[in-house]
Amino acid sequence: MEEPQDLPEQPVKKAKMQESREQSLSHVSSTEVSDQKTESSDLGSDLPMSSETSTTNASPVSTSSTVVNISTSAVASISQEYPTYTILGQSQYQTCYPSSGFGVVPAADSSTESLALASTTYPEEKPDALVAARAVQRAPSGDASTSPLLPRATASKELDEQARKNIPGKNRGKRKADTSSSQDSELERVFLWDLDETIIIFHSLLTGSYAQKYGKDPTLVIGSGLSMEEMIFEVADTHLFFNDLEECDQVHIEDVASDDNGQDLSNYNFSTDGFSGSGSNANHSSSVAVQGVDWMRKLAFRYRRVREIYNKYRANVGGLLSPQKREALQRLRTDIKVLTDSWLETALKSLLLIQSRKNCENILITTTQLMPALAKVLLYGLGEVFPIENIYSATKIGKESCFERIVSRFGKKVTYVVIGDGRDEEVAAKQHNMPFWRITNHADLVSLHQALELDFL
């Protein structure tokens, strides 16, 4: 089914919020509310999902047409936990992409009827530099007396035997060091998440389309969306330098780290260093040419401080807020939880299950600019799920290019699974031959969690 094209989500400054409020409220009675999304945030708790959750059957994409046999005990367990939802089965899902690359095969142990998603097949081509590096790593070390390259004409039989005994041990030790040298080397699966209308409900709150779709009070829904939007930009402006960085936005927190000279920022005064981000909406290399090294260093200082703030408050966003704002945020989160029938709490079940796996990683790719996106993640209580290094903004380069960066980071031997609601991430997933799991309602989130529990994903 063809999905409407997602538009890039540009943040609205606080000066425009009143206009946004008037326009949004004027749409309350309209039946043609825009379903395009703009990513913002929602704060979650670990309370169980509301009983008002939609009972619409799930329609995410399956990676195989093979019918799955699920044990009686597993069916009974799932039925008790989700009595209003369809039990997960491969025949339940429609095929979106050719399934040849993502076949589902039975586990080797016949006593356990769990299934595993086969790894995505990628070309085996590697850059020449990587091939050369691998060759260097595989070369055995040692002196000439134990090297297998020693001419047999000048080596005794005993020396050759000793060399043959030494080589395997040395190679094994070298491979072990390579494996443990990188935290990412143990990864098997990376989940690429969209934010708005996938993990959280935000844009459809602002437009009123969520209220229309689920029969909610549009005044309460739009009001909650506007309140959250105001809080997001307040945090971004006050604590994350968004006023300075709005026009020199980056895709990732590390993008300007090379310009940071490591200066101690304990007593650094950001308000008087003369930095101005206006007129610098360009890529990194051209910004250096236009603004100069000093300007880029000050930019890098701000991104370093943003990282420090995020890491300090990722598990306690209330520490950034006044007591009054903390109370307001708690009320707002509770209201949004009720209005959205625990949408975020349902998505969190899958996020936390993935996080508990040592060989899996959650990555967030959003079309919101980076600073407001970080504010969203903090305010919606997702900071502990997404380290700042795992958050990417696709505002400047699009999701397909973000996917390329992520594949470059984790490698082509890892299996990638894309989870989202929009056309842009679906197209990007298809371009990279990645399976795509569509989220359109609560039932899709529940089915995703079931699939993860049963080791489909």
Side-chain angles (χ1 to χ4, degrees), residues 31-56:
T31 60
E32 298 182 3
V33 183
S34 170
D35 282 328
Q36 297 178 346
K37 64 173 191 173
T38 305
E39 300 202 357
S40 292
S41 50
D42 179 18
L43 209 60
S45 66
D46 295 329
L47 296 179
M49 183 182 65
S50 169
S51 61
E52 299 179 9
T53 302
S54 169
T55 58
T56 308

mmCIF file with all atom_site columns, all heavy atoms in Angstrom, residues 31-56:
data_model
loop_
_atom_site.group_PDB
_atom_site.id
_atom_site.type_symbol
_atom_site.label_atom_id
_atom_site.label_alt_id
_atom_site.label_comp_id
_atom_site.label_asym_id
_atom_site.label_entity_id
_atom_site.label_seq_id
_atom_site.pdbx_PDB_ins_code
_atom_site.Cartn_x
_atom_site.Cartn_y
_atom_site.Cartn_z
_atom_site.occupancy
_atom_site.B_iso_or_equiv
_atom_site.pdbx_formal_charge
_atom_site.auth_seq_id
_atom_site.auth_comp_id
_atom_site.auth_asym_id
_atom_site.auth_atom_id
_atom_site.pdbx_PDB_model_num
ATOM 1   N N   . THR A 1 31 ? -12.268 17.413 9.376  1.00 0.00 ? 31 THR A N   1
ATOM 2   C CA  . THR A 1 31 ? -12.106 15.966 9.192  1.00 0.00 ? 31 THR A CA  1
ATOM 3   C C   . THR A 1 31 ? -10.967 15.629 8.277  1.00 0.00 ? 31 THR A C   1
ATOM 4   O O   . THR A 1 31 ? -10.694 14.478 8.035  1.00 0.00 ? 31 THR A O   1
ATOM 5   C CB  . THR A 1 31 ? -13.398 15.381 8.585  1.00 0.00 ? 31 THR A CB  1
ATOM 6   O OG1 . THR A 1 31 ? -13.636 16.014 7.330  1.00 0.00 ? 31 THR A OG1 1
ATOM 7   C CG2 . THR A 1 31 ? -14.562 15.570 9.515  1.00 0.00 ? 31 THR A CG2 1
ATOM 8   N N   . GLU A 1 32 ? -10.318 16.661 7.762  1.00 0.00 ? 32 GLU A N   1
ATOM 9   C CA  . GLU A 1 32 ? -9.204  16.410 6.849  1.00 0.00 ? 32 GLU A CA  1
ATOM 10  C C   . GLU A 1 32 ? -7.906  16.833 7.481  1.00 0.00 ? 32 GLU A C   1
ATOM 11  O O   . GLU A 1 32 ? -7.166  17.656 6.985  1.00 0.00 ? 32 GLU A O   1
ATOM 12  C CB  . GLU A 1 32 ? -9.414  17.159 5.533  1.00 0.00 ? 32 GLU A CB  1
ATOM 13  C CG  . GLU A 1 32 ? -10.661 16.705 4.781  1.00 0.00 ? 32 GLU A CG  1
ATOM 14  C CD  . GLU A 1 32 ? -10.815 17.447 3.455  1.00 0.00 ? 32 GLU A CD  1
ATOM 15  O OE1 . GLU A 1 32 ? -9.933  18.250 3.117  1.00 0.00 ? 32 GLU A OE1 1
ATOM 16  O OE2 . GLU A 1 32 ? -11.802 17.218 2.789  1.00 0.00 ? 32 GLU A OE2 1
ATOM 17  N N   . VAL A 1 33 ? -7.623  16.264 8.626  1.00 0.00 ? 33 VAL A N   1
ATOM 18  C CA  . VAL A 1 33 ? -6.405  16.623 9.353  1.00 0.00 ? 33 VAL A CA  1
ATOM 19  C C   . VAL A 1 33 ? -5.218  15.928 8.724  1.00 0.00 ? 33 VAL A C   1
ATOM 20  O O   . VAL A 1 33 ? -5.305  14.766 8.372  1.00 0.00 ? 33 VAL A O   1
ATOM 21  C CB  . VAL A 1 33 ? -6.533  16.210 10.829 1.00 0.00 ? 33 VAL A CB  1
ATOM 22  C CG1 . VAL A 1 33 ? -5.298  16.665 11.590 1.00 0.00 ? 33 VAL A CG1 1
ATOM 23  C CG2 . VAL A 1 33 ? -7.783  16.839 11.420 1.00 0.00 ? 33 VAL A CG2 1
ATOM 24  N N   . SER A 1 34 ? -4.149  16.633 8.607  1.00 0.00 ? 34 SER A N   1
ATOM 25  C CA  . SER A 1 34 ? -2.930  16.073 7.993  1.00 0.00 ? 34 SER A CA  1
ATOM 26  C C   . SER A 1 34 ? -2.364  14.956 8.837  1.00 0.00 ? 34 SER A C   1
ATOM 27  O O   . SER A 1 34 ? -2.302  15.079 10.040 1.00 0.00 ? 34 SER A O   1
ATOM 28  C CB  . SER A 1 34 ? -1.867  17.153 7.819  1.00 0.00 ? 34 SER A CB  1
ATOM 29  O OG  . SER A 1 34 ? -0.657  16.574 7.445  1.00 0.00 ? 34 SER A OG  1
ATOM 30  N N   . ASP A 1 35 ? -1.989  13.864 8.184  1.00 0.00 ? 35 ASP A N   1
ATOM 31  C CA  . ASP A 1 35 ? -1.376  12.731 8.880  1.00 0.00 ? 35 ASP A CA  1
ATOM 32  C C   . ASP A 1 35 ? 0.124   12.740 8.769  1.00 0.00 ? 35 ASP A C   1
ATOM 33  O O   . ASP A 1 35 ? 0.779   11.794 9.161  1.00 0.00 ? 35 ASP A O   1
ATOM 34  C CB  . ASP A 1 35 ? -1.914  11.411 8.319  1.00 0.00 ? 35 ASP A CB  1
ATOM 35  C CG  . ASP A 1 35 ? -3.294  11.106 8.844  1.00 0.00 ? 35 ASP A CG  1
ATOM 36  O OD1 . ASP A 1 35 ? -3.600  11.491 9.990  1.00 0.00 ? 35 ASP A OD1 1
ATOM 37  O OD2 . ASP A 1 35 ? -4.058  10.478 8.113  1.00 0.00 ? 35 ASP A OD2 1
ATOM 38  N N   . GLN A 1 36 ? 0.646   13.830 8.125  1.00 0.00 ? 36 GLN A N   1
ATOM 39  C CA  . GLN A 1 36 ? 2.107   13.887 8.090  1.00 0.00 ? 36 GLN A CA  1
ATOM 40  C C   . GLN A 1 36 ? 2.615   14.076 9.478  1.00 0.00 ? 36 GLN A C   1
ATOM 41  O O   . GLN A 1 36 ? 1.963   14.689 10.303 1.00 0.00 ? 36 GLN A O   1
ATOM 42  C CB  . GLN A 1 36 ? 2.567   15.061 7.202  1.00 0.00 ? 36 GLN A CB  1
ATOM 43  C CG  . GLN A 1 36 ? 2.137   14.874 5.749  1.00 0.00 ? 36 GLN A CG  1
ATOM 44  C CD  . GLN A 1 36 ? 2.560   16.060 4.911  1.00 0.00 ? 36 GLN A CD  1
ATOM 45  O OE1 . GLN A 1 36 ? 2.926   17.073 5.478  1.00 0.00 ? 36 GLN A OE1 1
ATOM 46  N NE2 . GLN A 1 36 ? 2.503   15.902 3.607  1.00 0.00 ? 36 GLN A NE2 1
ATOM 47  N N   . LYS A 1 37 ? 3.845   13.589 9.757  1.00 0.00 ? 37 LYS A N   1
ATOM 48  C CA  . LYS A 1 37 ? 4.348   13.594 11.110 1.00 0.00 ? 37 LYS A CA  1
ATOM 49  C C   . LYS A 1 37 ? 5.493   14.526 11.296 1.00 0.00 ? 37 LYS A C   1
ATOM 50  O O   . LYS A 1 37 ? 6.257   14.750 10.415 1.00 0.00 ? 37 LYS A O   1
ATOM 51  C CB  . LYS A 1 37 ? 4.751   12.183 11.523 1.00 0.00 ? 37 LYS A CB  1
ATOM 52  C CG  . LYS A 1 37 ? 5.875   11.659 10.723 1.00 0.00 ? 37 LYS A CG  1
ATOM 53  C CD  . LYS A 1 37 ? 6.301   10.357 11.294 1.00 0.00 ? 37 LYS A CD  1
ATOM 54  C CE  . LYS A 1 37 ? 7.597   9.999  10.635 1.00 0.00 ? 37 LYS A CE  1
ATOM 55  N NZ  . LYS A 1 37 ? 8.195   8.862  11.205 1.00 0.00 ? 37 LYS A NZ  1
ATOM 56  N N   . THR A 1 38 ? 5.588   15.019 12.524 1.00 0.00 ? 38 THR A N   1
ATOM 57  C CA  . THR A 1 38 ? 6.755   15.790 12.958 1.00 0.00 ? 38 THR A CA  1
ATOM 58  C C   . THR A 1 38 ? 7.186   15.181 14.251 1.00 0.00 ? 38 THR A C   1
ATOM 59  O O   . THR A 1 38 ? 6.391   15.086 15.158 1.00 0.00 ? 38 THR A O   1
ATOM 60  C CB  . THR A 1 38 ? 6.382   17.252 13.178 1.00 0.00 ? 38 THR A CB  1
ATOM 61  O OG1 . THR A 1 38 ? 5.802   17.740 11.998 1.00 0.00 ? 38 THR A OG1 1
ATOM 62  C CG2 . THR A 1 38 ? 7.609   18.054 13.546 1.00 0.00 ? 38 THR A CG2 1
ATOM 63  N N   . GLU A 1 39 ? 8.406   14.756 14.398 1.00 0.00 ? 39 GLU A N   1
ATOM 64  C CA  . GLU A 1 39 ? 8.784   13.973 15.545 1.00 0.00 ? 39 GLU A CA  1
ATOM 65  C C   . GLU A 1 39 ? 9.025   14.838 16.758 1.00 0.00 ? 39 GLU A C   1
ATOM 66  O O   . GLU A 1 39 ? 9.770   15.770 16.736 1.00 0.00 ? 39 GLU A O   1
ATOM 67  C CB  . GLU A 1 39 ? 10.021  13.159 15.218 1.00 0.00 ? 39 GLU A CB  1
ATOM 68  C CG  . GLU A 1 39 ? 9.745   12.236 14.079 1.00 0.00 ? 39 GLU A CG  1
ATOM 69  C CD  . GLU A 1 39 ? 10.714  11.109 14.094 1.00 0.00 ? 39 GLU A CD  1
ATOM 70  O OE1 . GLU A 1 39 ? 11.388  10.901 14.575 1.00 0.00 ? 39 GLU A OE1 1
ATOM 71  O OE2 . GLU A 1 39 ? 10.901  10.350 13.705 1.00 0.00 ? 39 GLU A OE2 1
ATOM 72  N N   . SER A 1 40 ? 8.382   14.520 17.875 1.00 0.00 ? 40 SER A N   1
ATOM 73  C CA  . SER A 1 40 ? 8.658   15.116 19.173 1.00 0.00 ? 40 SER A CA  1
ATOM 74  C C   . SER A 1 40 ? 8.531   14.008 20.173 1.00 0.00 ? 40 SER A C   1
ATOM 75  O O   . SER A 1 40 ? 8.649   12.880 19.834 1.00 0.00 ? 40 SER A O   1
ATOM 76  C CB  . SER A 1 40 ? 7.708   16.234 19.464 1.00 0.00 ? 40 SER A CB  1
ATOM 77  O OG  . SER A 1 40 ? 7.931   17.315 18.626 1.00 0.00 ? 40 SER A OG  1
ATOM 78  N N   . SER A 1 41 ? 8.273   14.318 21.487 1.00 0.00 ? 41 SER A N   1
ATOM 79  C CA  . SER A 1 41 ? 8.480   13.231 22.408 1.00 0.00 ? 41 SER A CA  1
ATOM 80  C C   . SER A 1 41 ? 7.367   12.985 23.376 1.00 0.00 ? 41 SER A C   1
ATOM 81  O O   . SER A 1 41 ? 6.485   13.765 23.561 1.00 0.00 ? 41 SER A O   1
ATOM 82  C CB  . SER A 1 41 ? 9.771   13.437 23.141 1.00 0.00 ? 41 SER A CB  1
ATOM 83  O OG  . SER A 1 41 ? 9.831   14.691 23.656 1.00 0.00 ? 41 SER A OG  1
ATOM 84  N N   . ASP A 1 42 ? 7.483   11.848 24.087 1.00 0.00 ? 42 ASP A N   1
ATOM 85  C CA  . ASP A 1 42 ? 6.508   11.445 25.074 1.00 0.00 ? 42 ASP A CA  1
ATOM 86  C C   . ASP A 1 42 ? 7.220   10.700 26.160 1.00 0.00 ? 42 ASP A C   1
ATOM 87  O O   . ASP A 1 42 ? 8.095   9.935  25.862 1.00 0.00 ? 42 ASP A O   1
ATOM 88  C CB  . ASP A 1 42 ? 5.466   10.546 24.399 1.00 0.00 ? 42 ASP A CB  1
ATOM 89  C CG  . ASP A 1 42 ? 4.426   10.053 25.345 1.00 0.00 ? 42 ASP A CG  1
ATOM 90  O OD1 . ASP A 1 42 ? 4.287   10.654 26.415 1.00 0.00 ? 42 ASP A OD1 1
ATOM 91  O OD2 . ASP A 1 42 ? 3.752   9.085  25.023 1.00 0.00 ? 42 ASP A OD2 1
ATOM 92  N N   . LEU A 1 43 ? 6.877   10.964 27.353 1.00 0.00 ? 43 LEU A N   1
ATOM 93  C CA  . LEU A 1 43 ? 7.607   10.405 28.484 1.00 0.00 ? 43 LEU A CA  1
ATOM 94  C C   . LEU A 1 43 ? 6.891   9.156  28.931 1.00 0.00 ? 43 LEU A C   1
ATOM 95  O O   . LEU A 1 43 ? 5.685   9.146  28.985 1.00 0.00 ? 43 LEU A O   1
ATOM 96  C CB  . LEU A 1 43 ? 7.602   11.445 29.582 1.00 0.00 ? 43 LEU A CB  1
ATOM 97  C CG  . LEU A 1 43 ? 8.772   11.406 30.502 1.00 0.00 ? 43 LEU A CG  1
ATOM 98  C CD1 . LEU A 1 43 ? 10.036  11.626 29.719 1.00 0.00 ? 43 LEU A CD1 1
ATOM 99  C CD2 . LEU A 1 43 ? 8.623   12.448 31.551 1.00 0.00 ? 43 LEU A CD2 1
ATOM 100 N N   . GLY A 1 44 ? 7.587   8.124  29.279 1.00 0.00 ? 44 GLY A N   1
ATOM 101 C CA  . GLY A 1 44 ? 6.949   6.868  29.588 1.00 0.00 ? 44 GLY A CA  1
ATOM 102 C C   . GLY A 1 44 ? 7.188   6.390  30.984 1.00 0.00 ? 44 GLY A C   1
ATOM 103 O O   . GLY A 1 44 ? 8.095   6.785  31.649 1.00 0.00 ? 44 GLY A O   1
ATOM 104 N N   . SER A 1 45 ? 6.321   5.497  31.425 1.00 0.00 ? 45 SER A N   1
ATOM 105 C CA  . SER A 1 45 ? 6.516   4.795  32.688 1.00 0.00 ? 45 SER A CA  1
ATOM 106 C C   . SER A 1 45 ? 6.434   3.323  32.407 1.00 0.00 ? 45 SER A C   1
ATOM 107 O O   . SER A 1 45 ? 6.132   2.905  31.304 1.00 0.00 ? 45 SER A O   1
ATOM 108 C CB  . SER A 1 45 ? 5.447   5.212  33.694 1.00 0.00 ? 45 SER A CB  1
ATOM 109 O OG  . SER A 1 45 ? 4.184   4.794  33.264 1.00 0.00 ? 45 SER A OG  1
ATOM 110 N N   . ASP A 1 46 ? 6.674   2.511  33.381 1.00 0.00 ? 46 ASP A N   1
ATOM 111 C CA  . ASP A 1 46 ? 6.683   1.070  33.203 1.00 0.00 ? 46 ASP A CA  1
ATOM 112 C C   . ASP A 1 46 ? 5.364   0.430  33.611 1.00 0.00 ? 46 ASP A C   1
ATOM 113 O O   . ASP A 1 46 ? 5.290   -0.750 33.877 1.00 0.00 ? 46 ASP A O   1
ATOM 114 C CB  . ASP A 1 46 ? 7.827   0.438  34.021 1.00 0.00 ? 46 ASP A CB  1
ATOM 115 C CG  . ASP A 1 46 ? 9.159   0.886  33.482 1.00 0.00 ? 46 ASP A CG  1
ATOM 116 O OD1 . ASP A 1 46 ? 9.219   1.126  32.268 1.00 0.00 ? 46 ASP A OD1 1
ATOM 117 O OD2 . ASP A 1 46 ? 10.113  0.987  34.265 1.00 0.00 ? 46 ASP A OD2 1
ATOM 118 N N   . LEU A 1 47 ? 4.268   1.238  33.695 1.00 0.00 ? 47 LEU A N   1
ATOM 119 C CA  . LEU A 1 47 ? 2.984   0.695  34.080 1.00 0.00 ? 47 LEU A CA  1
ATOM 120 C C   . LEU A 1 47 ? 2.437   -0.164 32.948 1.00 0.00 ? 47 LEU A C   1
ATOM 121 O O   . LEU A 1 47 ? 2.758   0.035  31.783 1.00 0.00 ? 47 LEU A O   1
ATOM 122 C CB  . LEU A 1 47 ? 2.005   1.836  34.384 1.00 0.00 ? 47 LEU A CB  1
ATOM 123 C CG  . LEU A 1 47 ? 2.394   2.704  35.573 1.00 0.00 ? 47 LEU A CG  1
ATOM 124 C CD1 . LEU A 1 47 ? 1.380   3.814  35.770 1.00 0.00 ? 47 LEU A CD1 1
ATOM 125 C CD2 . LEU A 1 47 ? 2.510   1.871  36.834 1.00 0.00 ? 47 LEU A CD2 1
ATOM 126 N N   . PRO A 1 48 ? 1.571   -1.148 33.234 1.00 0.00 ? 48 PRO A N   1
ATOM 127 C CA  . PRO A 1 48 ? 1.047   -2.021 32.191 1.00 0.00 ? 48 PRO A CA  1
ATOM 128 C C   . PRO A 1 48 ? 0.187   -1.253 31.201 1.00 0.00 ? 48 PRO A C   1
ATOM 129 O O   . PRO A 1 48 ? -0.341  -0.199 31.509 1.00 0.00 ? 48 PRO A O   1
ATOM 130 C CB  . PRO A 1 48 ? 0.246   -3.061 32.988 1.00 0.00 ? 48 PRO A CB  1
ATOM 131 C CG  . PRO A 1 48 ? 0.007   -2.458 34.311 1.00 0.00 ? 48 PRO A CG  1
ATOM 132 C CD  . PRO A 1 48 ? 1.106   -1.496 34.566 1.00 0.00 ? 48 PRO A CD  1
ATOM 133 N N   . MET A 1 49 ? 0.023   -1.826 30.029 1.00 0.00 ? 49 MET A N   1
ATOM 134 C CA  . MET A 1 49 ? -0.706  -1.178 28.968 1.00 0.00 ? 49 MET A CA  1
ATOM 135 C C   . MET A 1 49 ? -2.180  -1.056 29.317 1.00 0.00 ? 49 MET A C   1
ATOM 136 O O   . MET A 1 49 ? -2.788  -1.923 29.904 1.00 0.00 ? 49 MET A O   1
ATOM 137 C CB  . MET A 1 49 ? -0.543  -1.994 27.678 1.00 0.00 ? 49 MET A CB  1
ATOM 138 C CG  . MET A 1 49 ? -1.207  -1.382 26.468 1.00 0.00 ? 49 MET A CG  1
ATOM 139 S SD  . MET A 1 49 ? -0.982  -2.444 25.047 1.00 0.00 ? 49 MET A SD  1
ATOM 140 C CE  . MET A 1 49 ? -1.916  -3.854 25.600 1.00 0.00 ? 49 MET A CE  1
ATOM 141 N N   . SER A 1 50 ? -2.800  0.072  28.920 1.00 0.00 ? 50 SER A N   1
ATOM 142 C CA  . SER A 1 50 ? -4.198  0.334  29.220 1.00 0.00 ? 50 SER A CA  1
ATOM 143 C C   . SER A 1 50 ? -5.080  -0.693 28.544 1.00 0.00 ? 50 SER A C   1
ATOM 144 O O   . SER A 1 50 ? -4.803  -1.178 27.454 1.00 0.00 ? 50 SER A O   1
ATOM 145 C CB  . SER A 1 50 ? -4.568  1.748  28.737 1.00 0.00 ? 50 SER A CB  1
ATOM 146 O OG  . SER A 1 50 ? -5.955  1.934  28.781 1.00 0.00 ? 50 SER A OG  1
ATOM 147 N N   . SER A 1 51 ? -6.209  -0.988 29.161 1.00 0.00 ? 51 SER A N   1
ATOM 148 C CA  . SER A 1 51 ? -7.132  -1.956 28.600 1.00 0.00 ? 51 SER A CA  1
ATOM 149 C C   . SER A 1 51 ? -7.875  -1.403 27.405 1.00 0.00 ? 51 SER A C   1
ATOM 150 O O   . SER A 1 51 ? -8.567  -2.123 26.708 1.00 0.00 ? 51 SER A O   1
ATOM 151 C CB  . SER A 1 51 ? -8.139  -2.388 29.687 1.00 0.00 ? 51 SER A CB  1
ATOM 152 O OG  . SER A 1 51 ? -8.872  -1.270 30.134 1.00 0.00 ? 51 SER A OG  1
ATOM 153 N N   . GLU A 1 52 ? -7.732  -0.078 27.140 1.00 0.00 ? 52 GLU A N   1
ATOM 154 C CA  . GLU A 1 52 ? -8.403  0.519  26.006 1.00 0.00 ? 52 GLU A CA  1
ATOM 155 C C   . GLU A 1 52 ? -7.624  0.357  24.719 1.00 0.00 ? 52 GLU A C   1
ATOM 156 O O   . GLU A 1 52 ? -7.969  0.900  23.691 1.00 0.00 ? 52 GLU A O   1
ATOM 157 C CB  . GLU A 1 52 ? -8.634  2.012  26.272 1.00 0.00 ? 52 GLU A CB  1
ATOM 158 C CG  . GLU A 1 52 ? -9.510  2.274  27.489 1.00 0.00 ? 52 GLU A CG  1
ATOM 159 C CD  . GLU A 1 52 ? -9.695  3.773  27.723 1.00 0.00 ? 52 GLU A CD  1
ATOM 160 O OE1 . GLU A 1 52 ? -9.288  4.547  26.839 1.00 0.00 ? 52 GLU A OE1 1
ATOM 161 O OE2 . GLU A 1 52 ? -10.248 4.134  28.753 1.00 0.00 ? 52 GLU A OE2 1
ATOM 162 N N   . THR A 1 53 ? -6.541  -0.373 24.750 1.00 0.00 ? 53 THR A N   1
ATOM 163 C CA  . THR A 1 53 ? -5.684  -0.524 23.581 1.00 0.00 ? 53 THR A CA  1
ATOM 164 C C   . THR A 1 53 ? -6.473  -1.050 22.395 1.00 0.00 ? 53 THR A C   1
ATOM 165 O O   . THR A 1 53 ? -7.291  -1.947 22.531 1.00 0.00 ? 53 THR A O   1
ATOM 166 C CB  . THR A 1 53 ? -4.525  -1.471 23.901 1.00 0.00 ? 53 THR A CB  1
ATOM 167 O OG1 . THR A 1 53 ? -3.806  -0.948 25.014 1.00 0.00 ? 53 THR A OG1 1
ATOM 168 C CG2 . THR A 1 53 ? -3.604  -1.611 22.694 1.00 0.00 ? 53 THR A CG2 1
ATOM 169 N N   . SER A 1 54 ? -6.227  -0.486 21.216 1.00 0.00 ? 54 SER A N   1
ATOM 170 C CA  . SER A 1 54 ? -6.926  -0.884 19.997 1.00 0.00 ? 54 SER A CA  1
ATOM 171 C C   . SER A 1 54 ? -6.820  -2.371 19.770 1.00 0.00 ? 54 SER A C   1
ATOM 172 O O   . SER A 1 54 ? -5.791  -2.968 19.983 1.00 0.00 ? 54 SER A O   1
ATOM 173 C CB  . SER A 1 54 ? -6.327  -0.131 18.816 1.00 0.00 ? 54 SER A CB  1
ATOM 174 O OG  . SER A 1 54 ? -6.804  -0.658 17.623 1.00 0.00 ? 54 SER A OG  1
ATOM 175 N N   . THR A 1 55 ? -7.892  -2.961 19.251 1.00 0.00 ? 55 THR A N   1
ATOM 176 C CA  . THR A 1 55 ? -7.900  -4.402 18.970 1.00 0.00 ? 55 THR A CA  1
ATOM 177 C C   . THR A 1 55 ? -7.739  -4.689 17.494 1.00 0.00 ? 55 THR A C   1
ATOM 178 O O   . THR A 1 55 ? -8.008  -5.777 17.037 1.00 0.00 ? 55 THR A O   1
ATOM 179 C CB  . THR A 1 55 ? -9.217  -5.014 19.479 1.00 0.00 ? 55 THR A CB  1
ATOM 180 O OG1 . THR A 1 55 ? -10.313 -4.357 18.830 1.00 0.00 ? 55 THR A OG1 1
ATOM 181 C CG2 . THR A 1 55 ? -9.337  -4.861 20.975 1.00 0.00 ? 55 THR A CG2 1
ATOM 182 N N   . THR A 1 56 ? -7.295  -3.688 16.721 1.00 0.00 ? 56 THR A N   1
ATOM 183 C CA  . THR A 1 56 ? -7.084  -3.892 15.296 1.00 0.00 ? 56 THR A CA  1
ATOM 184 C C   . THR A 1 56 ? -6.027  -4.952 15.058 1.00 0.00 ? 56 THR A C   1
ATOM 185 O O   . THR A 1 56 ? -5.008  -4.945 15.699 1.00 0.00 ? 56 THR A O   1
ATOM 186 C CB  . THR A 1 56 ? -6.643  -2.581 14.623 1.00 0.00 ? 56 THR A CB  1
ATOM 187 O OG1 . THR A 1 56 ? -7.577  -1.569 14.971 1.00 0.00 ? 56 THR A OG1 1
ATOM 188 C CG2 . THR A 1 56 ? -6.573  -2.752 13.116 1.00 0.00 ? 56 THR A CG2 1
#
